[in-house]
Amino acid sequence: VVAAGSGTRFGGPKQYTELGGRRLVDWALDAARRACDGVVLVAPPDRPDHDPAADHTVPGGATRSASVRCGLEAVPADAPVVVVHDAARPLAPPELFDAVIEAVEAGADGAVPGVLVADTLRRVEGGVLDRDGVVAVQTPQAFRADALRRAHEGDPDATDDATLVEAAGGRVVVVEGDRRNLKVTDPTDLELVRALLP
Ligand code: C5P
C-alpha cells in the first residue's frame, strides 16, 4: 500500500485524514489484509515508524514508482504475486483484490482494474481521442512478483506499475473495475468518498 505522497493537490498529507471513524489509509490496509498474506505500508519519509495496521512499514521515495520499489524490498522473496495499491483509494473492495490476483494466477504478468470512460476525451490543443476501447485504470494492481521486480530495474518512473511491466515486455490484462473506487486527489474527492462509505 503506497501512502508516501505529499498530497500537494490535496493541500497536505491526506493519508491520515479521518474517514468514517478511522484514518484514510486504514481502509486500504484493511482491504489489502483481507486479500493478501502480508501487508507492507509505504509511509511518508517523515512518518517511518512501524504502523501496527501493517506487517512492515517502510519510508517511501520521491516518486510513486520509487515508493513502490521501497515497498518491494520489504516483500518476502518467495511471494509469487505482489499487489500494489494506492492508499488514496479507500473504497477498493477486497473482491477487486481477489479479481486481479486471480487474473495473474490464471497466467497474466499483471492485472489492473479498468472502468469505461464516460466523458469525451479532448486534447487541450485540439482533437478528440476515441474513447472506444479505452478504460481509466485503477489500483489494486496485481503482478507476478518477478515481472514486477524486473520492470522496476533501472529505477524507471510511471504513474502506475502496469505501465512499467508492459514496457518491460509483460502481458497486462484488464479486469472490471469499480466506479466507487475513487482516488482521493483533492478535497472534493474526499466528500464524494465520504458519501459512498459502506
Ligand atoms: O501522487 P499520485 O496520485 O501518483 O499518488 C498515488 C498514490 O501513490 C498515493 O496513495 C500516494 O500516497 C502514493 N505516492 C507515494 N510516494 C510518492 C508519491 C505518491 O507513495 N512519492
Side-chain angles (χ1 to χ4, degrees):
V1 174
V2 284
S6 54
T8 312
R9 287 166 290 179
F10 190 76
K14 63 197 168 203
Q15 305 86 321
Y16 302 99
T17 302
E18 185 277 330
L19 177 65
R22 48 187 177 155
R23 305 171 303 173
L24 187 142
V25 67
D26 287 322
W27 292 85
L29 292 171
D30 188 54
R33 162 85 53 211
R34 288 171 194 229
C36 303
D37 296 327
V39 179
V40 177
L41 172 63
V42 183
D46 59 346
R47 299 182 82 135
D49 298 339
H50 175 67
D51 191 308
D55 299 308
H56 301 279
T57 309
V58 297
T63 64
R64 184 187 183 282
S65 297
S67 290
V68 171
R69 288 188 281 278
C70 295
L72 263 178
E73 285 178 28
V75 174
D78 61 352
V81 177
V82 178
V83 183
V84 184
H85 183 47
D86 290 341
R89 294 187 186 269
L91 296 182
E95 297 75 35
L96 198 52
F97 284 72
D98 296 337
V100 289
I101 291 168
E102 277 166 28
V104 170
E105 286 174 346
D109 296 305
V112 303
V115 290
L116 295 176
V117 179
D119 301 311
T120 298
L121 300 172
R122 166 172 290 275
R123 288 187 195 282
V124 177
E125 61 274 20
V128 170
L129 303 177
D130 187 359
R131 71 175 184 213
D132 280 355
V134 170
V135 290
V137 173
Q138 308 176 330
T139 71
Q141 303 187 350
F143 303 96
R144 270 191 26 239
D146 58 340
L148 182 62
R149 290 185 198 276
R150 196 169 333 115
H152 274 279
E153 281 172 11
D155 298 346
D157 254 307
T159 52
D160 76 353
D161 296 284
T163 303
L164 299 179
V165 166
E166 200 165 65
R171 184 172 71 91
V172 174
V173 299
V174 178
V175 307
E176 191 175 347
D178 188 322
R179 290 181 62 81
R180 289 165 302 178
N181 182 19
L182 300 175
K183 183 174 175 187
V184 178
T185 302
D186 63 33
T188 304
D189 300 322
L190 190 60
E191 281 183 55
L192 292 170
V193 163
R194 271 192 214 288
L196 289 173
L197 282 180

